[in-house]
């Protein structure tokens, strides 16, 4: 029952209730992986569904993610140190020349909510930095963001550079001017129209790799 | 209020097609409609066409100015596109926009300071988007100092303090509004401008938020805006807010708008 209560508290965006129920679950000796997967991550999937369906809005998704994060913090000391619970490592950033990070931040937050380890390189990221980090951190996925029509070409340049460097990891792109057709055209492995759908895509691509 | 009509933007599919097919009549019509609804500048944007942007932007300027007597807001960070547009533009254009990002600043400064130009100065620097009011004032101060040194009069500078979505952080609205107030106070003659629809990102009934925020920004001194002049409720809100803010002698503009039917609900 406690797991369901955690799930409900995340969906209800109730940070205090998430924390209290996780404490209870830990005291009861519940399996930490079960709390994480069935309580927190599955709840964030539901939150993502509600957002994509238009029944909840950005601030509500944000609150749910913050509630989940607070729960994660309580779980952290109990999680295996080998990171075996991680669903994979994602490198994310806005491409060179683009300083707009709101969409990118939302996607990063939802990826964390889905159990990925997220390495956020921030804004205005040079393709060399994506390449280097992808190599050293053995990333499973690269996520590129651009808000401006004028910085979209930098996504193509980044993908080309990644491929030329011999990195075969999947790349997803997103941002207001981006379309599915554009993603295909520049050789990306997919495009997320919103944060939850970017997460779905990330899961599929990492699972398939 | 200085109105910059935003509709001729190639990121809108109908405009993109009109540009590709050189549909002069379509662009002329949208330019004329915006001018008739009170646009002081007609924004032209061909940013989605990376390599052909200079050609397209030049054509847009010629087409718009062939149909109206309004100057254009040349909406591009691309010096080649701006240079092409400037060769055909009549009157003083508004360059949209320069910022403190070093590459963009260096590339655009020669164009901005060459002739009789006005310029939108975005509060953006190499450090990224501004968060607080102070961030915005720091960037504004440096931009105005540098542009003034290139002999741009304050009246030619339109500072855009950048609106961030209120859905992400409840302080973002006031950070912007307070910046407008401070900029208008500290830099007499300088204009403030914004494309304010970003305020409502991630929320439903965006028009309501946009209009409310517009009225609040006008109360702080905002004197120009990039909007859709065909949006009747937004335009009526602007008229009413300016009247309430004491910028309408004897409420003449409000009454004129009323008699013209532009305040009627429809």
């Amino acid at each position: 029952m406690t797991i369901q209560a955690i799930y409900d508290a995340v969906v209800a965006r109730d940070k205090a209730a998430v924390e209290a129920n996780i404490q209870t679950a830990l005291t009861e000796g519940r399996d930490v992986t079960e709390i994480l997967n069935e309580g927190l991550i599955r709840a964030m999937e539901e939150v993502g569904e509600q957002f994509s369906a238009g029944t909840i809005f950005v601030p509500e998704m944000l609150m749910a993610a913050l509630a989940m994060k607070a729960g994660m913090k309580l779980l952290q000391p109990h999680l295996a140190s080998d990171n075996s619970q991680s669903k994979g490592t994602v490198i994310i950033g806005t491409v060179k020349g683009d300083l707009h990070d709101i969409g990118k931040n939302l996607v990063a937050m939802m990826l964390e909510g889905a159990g990925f380890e997220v390495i956020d390189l921030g804004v205005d990221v040079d393709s060399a930095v994506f390449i280097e980090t992808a190599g050293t951190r053995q990333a499973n996925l690269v996520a590129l963001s651009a808000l401006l029509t004028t910085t979209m070409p930098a996504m193509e340049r980044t993908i080309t550079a990644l491929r030329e460097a011999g990195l075969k990891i999947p790349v997803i792109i997103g941002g207001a001017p981006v379309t599915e057709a554009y993603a295909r055209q520049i050789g990306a492995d997919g495009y997320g129209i919103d944060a939850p759908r970017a997460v779905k895509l990330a899961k599929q691509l990492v699972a398939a790799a | 209020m200085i109105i910059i009509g935003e509709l001729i933007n190639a990121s809108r599919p109908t405009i993109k097609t009109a540009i590709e097919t050189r549909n002069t009549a379509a662009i002329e019509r949208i330019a004329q409609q915006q001018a008739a609804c009170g646009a002081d500048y007609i924004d032209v944007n061909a940013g989605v066409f990376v390599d052909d942007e200079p050609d397209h932007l030049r054509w847009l300027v010629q087409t718009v100015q062939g149909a109206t007597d309004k100057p254009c807001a040349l909406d591009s960070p691309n010096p080649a596109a701006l240079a092409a547009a400037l060769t055909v533009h009549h009157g003083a254009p508004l360059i949209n926009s320069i910022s403190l990002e070093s590459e963009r600043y260096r590339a655009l400064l020669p164009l901005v300071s060459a002739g009789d130009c006005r310029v939108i100065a975005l509060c953006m620097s190499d450090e990224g988007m501004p968060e607080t009011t102070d961030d915005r004032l720091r960037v504004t101060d440096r931009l105005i100092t540098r542009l003034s040194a290139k002999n741009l009069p304050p009246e030619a500078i339109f500072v855009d303090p950048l609106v961030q979505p209120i859905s992400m952080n409840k302080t973002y609205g006031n950070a912007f509004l307070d910046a407008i107030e401070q900029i208008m106070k500290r830099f007499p003659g300088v204009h403030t401008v914004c494309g304010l629809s970003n305020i409502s990102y991630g929320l439903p009934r965006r028009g309501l938020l946009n209009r409310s925020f517009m009225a609040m920004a006008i109360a702080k001194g905002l004197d120009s805006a990039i909007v859709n002049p065909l949006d009747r409720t937004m335009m009526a809100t602007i008229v009413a807010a300016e009247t309430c803010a004491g910028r309408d002698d004897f409420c003449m503009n409000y009454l004129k708008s009323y008699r013209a039917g532009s305040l009627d609900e429809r």
Side-chain angles (χ1 to χ4, degrees):
Chain A
M1 266 343 278
T2 328
I3 303 289
Q4 184 63 38
I6 295 167
Y7 175 99
D8 291 342
V10 172
V11 174
R13 310 177 282 278
D14 187 340
K15 181 172 157 227
V18 171
E19 289 172 325
N21 284 298
I22 285 187
Q23 285 296 5
T24 310
L26 288 171
T27 317
E28 285 172 2
R30 301 296 291 261
D31 177 40
V32 178
T33 312
E34 191 194 354
I35 301 176
L36 178 67
N37 289 333
E38 299 306 312
L40 296 177
I41 293 176
R42 206 165 55 81
M44 285 306 290
E45 276 172 22
E46 169 62 20
V47 169
E49 295 288 340
Q50 290 184 6
F51 177 80
S52 292
T55 44
I56 65 165
F57 296 93
V58 163
E60 295 168 313
M61 190 163 75
L62 202 64
M63 278 178 80
L66 290 174
M68 155 151 194
K69 220 171 175 168
M72 274 298 283
K73 214 172 158 187
L74 295 178
L75 288 187
Q76 220 88 58
H78 305 275
L79 289 170
S81 53
D82 63 357
N83 233 342
S84 57
Q85 280 93 353
S86 171
K87 307 287 182 235
T89 300
V90 182
I91 295 177
I92 192 167
T94 75
V95 290
K96 194 73 199 155
D98 206 314
L99 301 177
H100 301 83
D101 61 358
I102 282 180
K104 183 266 294 170
N105 293 345
L106 279 173
V107 173
M109 204 177 68
M110 293 305 283
L111 285 167
E112 280 179 358
F116 285 100
E117 191 188 341
V118 177
I119 300 166
D120 187 346
L121 298 176
V123 298
D124 193 18
V125 181
D126 212 279
S127 54
V129 179
F130 279 110
I131 292 168
E132 195 199 322
T133 318
T136 54
R137 301 297 295 267
Q138 304 195 331
N140 304 93
L141 184 79
V142 174
L144 307 176
S145 169
L147 184 78
L148 306 175
T149 51
T150 47
T151 50
M152 279 165 71
M155 299 209 276
E156 181 171 15
R157 285 196 290 274
T158 305
I159 293 175
T160 307
L162 279 163
R163 298 304 177 227
E164 277 170 3
L167 290 163
K168 295 195 172 62
I169 49 174
V171 179
I172 61 172
I173 64 171
V178 178
T179 59
E180 187 71 52
Y182 183 73
R184 273 200 299 272
Q185 182 196 322
I186 66 167
D189 296 279
Y191 145 77
I193 194 168
D194 62 21
R197 274 171 279 200
V199 170
K200 268 190 186 164
L201 186 63
K203 283 182 188 164
Q204 287 163 12
L205 289 168
V206 170
Chain B
M1 199 77 176
I2 300 167
I3 302 293
I4 302 154
E6 68 185 5
L7 293 177
I8 304 180
N9 189 317
S11 60
R12 303 173 65 220
T14 53
I15 300 296
K16 181 167 183 261
T17 309
I19 294 173
E20 281 166 337
T21 59
R22 287 287 188 267
N23 187 341
T24 307
I27 298 297
E28 282 179 345
R29 192 173 58 247
I30 300 165
Q32 284 163 345
Q33 283 173 338
Q34 293 185 92
C37 291
D40 299 291
Y41 289 88
I42 311 292
D43 194 89
V44 284
N45 176 311
V48 294
F49 304 101
V50 180
D51 295 329
D52 300 328
E53 191 190 357
D55 268 355
H56 289 326
L57 202 64
R58 186 171 48 215
W59 177 76
L60 283 174
V61 169
Q62 286 171 321
T63 309
V64 166
Q65 292 204 311
T68 73
D69 58 358
K70 301 296 176 192
C72 290
L74 308 175
D75 189 354
S76 174
N78 174 358
L82 291 172
L86 284 169
T87 58
V88 295
H89 190 277
H90 298 293
L94 177 62
I95 290 182
N96 180 11
S97 54
I98 202 165
S99 76
L100 213 54
E101 296 158 87
S102 24
E103 209 174 302
R104 186 167 183 167
Y105 184 83
R106 265 198 306 273
L108 263 55
L109 190 64
L111 293 165
V112 167
S113 52
D116 184 15
C117 262
R118 285 148 206 185
V119 65
I120 294 183
L122 282 184
C123 281
M124 196 126 91
S125 70
D126 291 329
E127 280 98 80
M129 305 276 290
E131 283 257 332
T132 63
T133 301
D134 283 345
D135 291 344
R136 289 171 166 87
L137 292 174
R138 262 194 306 276
V139 178
T140 300
D141 188 58
R142 286 170 62 195
L143 273 169
I144 290 179
T145 305
R146 288 197 194 181
L147 292 170
S148 302
K150 294 288 172 185
N151 295 321
L152 256 87
E155 294 75 23
I157 303 172
F158 290 66
V159 178
D160 182 344
L162 289 178
V163 176
Q164 299 261 61
I166 200 70
S167 61
M168 298 298 291
N169 185 325
K170 68 173 179 183
T171 66
Y172 283 170
N174 284 334
F176 172 88
L177 294 168
D178 292 345
I180 294 284
E181 185 171 35
Q182 290 300 321
I183 292 165
M184 295 310 258
K185 206 177 278 175
R186 290 187 199 182
F187 306 100
V190 161
H191 300 285
T192 43
V193 67
C194 67
L196 94 183
S197 60
N198 212 16
I199 193 70
S200 58
Y201 168 82
L203 292 166
R205 298 279 183 274
R206 295 187 65 172
L208 174 62
L209 288 164
N210 295 346
R211 290 191 298 276
S212 304
F213 198 61
M214 178 65 87
M216 295 168 78
I218 288 172
K220 296 286 192 181
L222 181 80
D223 69 356
S224 34
I226 304 168
V227 292
N228 171 8
L230 274 53
D231 178 346
R232 287 174 56 89
T233 47
M234 174 57 90
M235 293 300 279
T237 300
I238 291 172
V239 170
E242 285 211 287
T243 301
C244 293
R247 280 154 51 176
D248 184 11
D249 290 344
F250 297 96
C251 308
M252 277 300 113
N253 188 45
Y254 185 82
L255 292 173
K256 197 178 107 205
S257 302
Y258 164 72
R259 294 204 173 93
S262 49
L263 305 184
D264 297 351
E265 312 221 341
R266 214 173 33 193

